[in-house]
Amino acid sequence: MKIALLFGGKSAEYEVSLMSAKSIYENIDKKIHDVYLIGIDNKGEFHYFDGDIKSVADGSWINNVSDAEVVFCSSQKKPGIYSSDINIVFDLVFPVLHGPFGEDGKLQGLLEISNLAYVGCPVLASAVAMDKDIAKKLFAFEGINQVPHLTVCSWNNIEKSMIDIEEKLGYPCFVKPANMGSSVGISKAKNRDNLKKAIENAFLYDHKLVVEKGINAREIEVSILGNSEDIKVSCTGEIIPSDEFYDYDAKYKSNESKLIIPSDISIDDENEIKKMAQKAYKTINGEGLCRIDFFIDKDTNEIFLNEVNSMPGFTTISMYPKLWEKSGISYKELVERLICLAVERKEREDAKKSK
Ligand SMILES: Nc1ncnc2c1ncn2[C@@H]1O[C@H](COP(=O)(O)OP(=O)(O)O)[C@@H](O)[C@H]1O
Ligand SMILES: [Mg+2]
């Protein structure tokens, strides 16, 4: 198959994407696939890149791209991705993109219109997974247990919102941009002064915020693989963050954060988390993959769904592939399965359209 691997992107998670893309590129079976790299710079411009994958990982790829434009074509005769550099009809796109534009359904819409098969969640599931506020509303509707939370928009009266937060959630609380990832824009607030600053900071990334009651949490994650008709759930893993919480530095800069795989939790908790994860995946209409994150309250042992990630970190040491490795699917095999799932979903959707 001819595969376009998309990396980078106009989001605060640009660098995370470069790291994930390198690992995926190196593990796609080149005996059966031809892989072409298409990078998206942090202004959102697409570039064909035929250099070394190492310069993708270190970010220097951007100094060696051609000026040829990459365009997406929706013409029924010749849909797909084109550029004067690459006159190739791709069979499939592997978007290794995190955060807004790449993981939130916008790019997935472009790929649908261009009639391309692509790895990962489709438009709706991607958009819902990215928006913590909408996702929480759907999960609540399905009766999935979540930490108490409130939504605050930039057009609300912020003084009033802060009083509401203090009354309903108290301190500490977590302030998050609704649409973001990798802990970008997230702060833990312990008093009114912290809260005000946390809200101002989170509004730099989104006009809508989710504020949650802070809990003394163990962080447990689980990986899902499969299209709607056949969903597989991995074993669970635990994160021990190096900092007070799992912020950007603890995720990517410090070597001190630990992943414990499989997690050391009771069989009952493990089963409950797996059940909740499947329900959450079905709720968003997930397809392909998701990593689903939970909290277990250290004080009460209550289990809460935290969030769903439709394109989780995907380096060889990331939680998503590591959980599969422990559950019997190697990184290489995982990449191939994701490609197959994308093809199967496209065939299923095409069959539906032709009726
Ligand atoms: N309600 C909460 N209570 C305790 N810790 C939290 C809470 N919400 C978030 N955190 C901490 O912040 C981190 C990032 O929050 P999360 O909602 O997972 O955002 P992101 O999508 O950026 O990963 C979590 O991994 C956890 O360490
Ligand atoms: Mg998270």
Side-chain angles (χ1 to χ4, degrees):
M1 250 193 288
K2 291 192 167 33
I3 298 178
L5 190 73
L6 259 53
F7 64 89
K10 195 173 111 180
S11 106
E13 293 176 89
Y14 170 87
E15 277 157 20
V16 185
S17 161
L18 303 187
M19 296 189 269
S20 297
K22 176 177 180 279
S23 296
I24 292 178
Y25 179 88
E26 286 173 342
N27 283 283
I28 294 183
D29 189 346
K30 313 286 191 313
K31 284 194 222 92
I32 50 175
H33 303 300
D34 297 326
V35 191
Y36 300 83
L37 292 165
I38 297 179
I40 309 171
D41 65 27
N42 44 27
K43 293 190 194 72
E45 184 99 22
F46 288 64
H47 308 271
Y48 172 59
F49 177 67
D50 67 353
D52 194 324
I53 190 68
K54 285 201 191 80
S55 54
V56 168
D58 68 21
S60 63
W61 70 279
I62 193 64
N63 306 320
N64 289 303
V65 293
S66 82
D67 290 335
E69 282 178 328
V70 174
V71 291
F72 287 77
C73 181
S74 65
S75 142
Q76 287 304 304
K77 277 191 215 122
K78 209 184 158 198
I81 308 173
Y82 299 97
S83 139
S84 51
D85 286 345
I86 35 166
N87 286 310
I88 297 160
V89 178
F90 289 109
D91 301 304
L92 182 127
V93 176
F94 201 137
V96 192
L97 302 166
H98 306 299
F101 295 98
E103 191 185 350
D104 63 356
K106 294 190 176 92
L107 177 93
Q108 287 71 13
L110 186 61
L111 299 174
E112 292 279 349
I113 289 169
S114 309
N115 199 27
L116 286 155
Y118 58 93
V119 169
C121 281
V123 177
L124 178 70
S126 301
V128 171
M130 180 54 52
D131 191 313
K132 290 180 164 63
D133 166 55
I134 299 293
K136 280 186 190 299
K137 288 181 171 129
L138 289 181
F139 296 143
F141 184 79
E142 291 296 325
I144 303 174
N145 200 35
Q146 302 177 90
V147 172
H149 56 273
L150 291 170
T151 305
V152 181
C153 297
S154 55
W155 45 86
N156 295 151
N157 179 323
I158 302 303
E159 284 300 316
K160 251 168 101 181
S161 299
M162 288 199 292
I163 293 169
D164 218 22
I165 291 165
E166 286 175 340
E167 277 175 15
K168 297 195 174 117
L169 309 175
Y171 296 111
C173 61
F174 278 79
V175 180
K176 314 178 178 183
N179 291 274
M180 196 38 79
S182 291
S183 301
V184 174
I186 297 186
S187 319
K188 181 176 181 177
K190 297 177 182 170
N191 53 46
R192 171 69 73 100
D193 189 39
N194 281 173
L195 179 60
K196 197 158 188 289
K197 288 198 180 99
I199 290 174
E200 281 166 10
N201 181 49
F203 276 140
L204 297 175
Y205 300 95
D206 201 350
H207 58 78
K208 185 168 68 168
L209 315 181
V210 169
V211 185
E212 288 174 20
K213 180 181 159 80
I215 59 162
N216 188 8
R218 282 180 81 176
E219 301 196 44
I220 309 292
E221 306 188 343
V222 68
S223 298
I224 304 255
L225 177 67
N227 291 339
S228 318
E229 57 276 22
D230 180 21
I231 299 169
K232 289 186 170 49
V233 187
S234 73
C235 65
T236 57
E238 178 166 8
I239 307 259
I240 313 279
S242 57
D243 291 333
E244 194 178 341
F245 73 97
Y246 204 31
D247 61 9
Y248 189 89
D249 286 357
K251 280 180 180 169
Y252 305 112
K253 300 214 164 143
S254 136
N255 292 323
E256 318 253 300
S257 295
K258 288 193 182 69
L259 309 188
I260 299 177
I261 303 170
S263 65
D264 182 19
I265 57 173
S266 71
I267 294 281
D268 285 351
D269 286 350
E270 169 106 6
N271 288 339
E272 180 60 19
I273 283 174
K274 286 183 176 176
K275 226 167 69 194
M276 287 167 80
Q278 286 202 46
K279 196 166 180 185
Y281 192 65
K282 286 181 184 158
T283 300
I284 66 160
N285 289 189
E287 306 231 49
L289 77 159
C290 255
R291 197 194 69 227
I292 310 207
D293 301 348
F294 294 84
F295 294 139
I296 300 182
D297 192 319
K298 287 181 191 166
D299 306 323
T300 64
N301 213 39
E302 192 172 348
I303 299 172
F304 301 99
L305 170 65
N306 172 30
E307 59 152 350
V308 294
N309 302 277
S310 60
M311 185 46 76
F314 219 118
T315 69
T316 46
I317 56 162
S318 299
M319 185 63 109
Y320 182 84
K322 280 277 172 201
L323 288 173
W324 281 122
E325 204 172 274
K326 195 76 193 171
S327 308
I329 303 176
S330 71
Y331 192 104
K332 266 198 155 66
E333 197 184 338
L334 184 60
V335 169
E336 185 56 28
R337 283 205 194 190
L338 286 168
I339 291 167
C340 293
L341 286 167
V343 172
E344 282 165 30
R345 184 169 63 80
K346 178 81 165 67
E347 284 171 359
R348 190 188 69 200
E349 292 303 298
D350 286 350
K352 182 185 74 184
K353 273 179 233 156
S354 65
K355 276 184 188 142

